Amino acid sequence: MKKIIYALLATLSGIVLLLSYRTSLDAVPPSDIAGPASSTTQSTSGSASTTTAGTTTGLTDGTFTGDTTQTRYGPIQVQITVRGGKITDAQALQYPDSNGRDQQINAHAIPLLVSETVQGQSAHIQMVSGATYTSDGYASSLQSAIDQAQQ
């Protein structure tokens, strides 16, 4: 009988401790992991300035390749296509894929990041849970490509 009471008290104590544990709810802003390595402007033609949600994008039409951003798991480089002053396509030219886990993570993350880029029309995109390094590197390279398109 004594052992049953101790077991119940230990279980109850464990449940109380689990329920009272506070998790962090603070968001951590993305940061540039590494400095720029190289940049290439593929092609440019014409110039356009459009208004999206009340702001002027001022992007030049063409294809722009962002700087390669080095992350903990490998380099990431993004290329955007601008038409009519809007980002119409984005591609990850380089991203970590050297092992099965990298391939699994990035097969999910890269399409989401590309979709966020086209929808958001900026480098201020939603990060992908579980792919923090990829998301940070992608956003950094994307900002570099957008900077080139604004010149």
Side-chain angles (χ1 to χ4, degrees), residues 76 105-106 108-110 113 127-137:
I76 297 178
I105 289 171
N106 291 322
H108 172 71
I110 298 297
L113 293 168
M127 305 304 247
V128 176
S129 178
T132 304
Y133 292 104
T134 297
S135 297
D136 285 343

Side-chain angles (χ1 to χ4, degrees), residues 32-53:
D32 187 12
I33 293 176
S38 66
S39 67
T40 308
T41 301
Q42 299 271 326
S43 65
T44 59
S45 61
S47 175
S49 179
T50 62
T51 302
T52 305

Side-chain angles (χ1 to χ4, degrees), residues 45-131:
S45 61
S47 175
S49 179
T50 62
T51 302
T52 305
T55 61
T56 302
T57 60
L59 298 178
T60 303
D61 286 358
T63 303
F64 304 90
T65 303
D67 295 339
T68 301
T69 301
Q70 189 64 37
T71 70
R72 179 177 177 177
Y73 297 103
I76 297 178
Q77 187 175 33
V78 176
Q79 181 181 65
I80 61 171
T81 302
V82 179
R83 300 238 188 298
K86 287 187 170 187
I87 299 172
T88 58
D89 186 34
Q91 296 178 359
L93 300 178
Q94 291 182 29
Y95 55 88
D97 63 352
S98 61
N99 62 49
R101 183 70 176 140
D102 287 345
Q103 293 169 2
Q104 180 185 16
I105 289 171
N106 291 322
H108 172 71
I110 298 297
L112 291 174
L113 293 168
V114 167
S115 175
E116 284 287 324
T117 300
V118 174
Q119 287 178 356
Q121 295 292 308
S122 75
H124 301 289
I125 56 176
Q126 290 286 326
M127 305 304 247
V128 176
S129 178

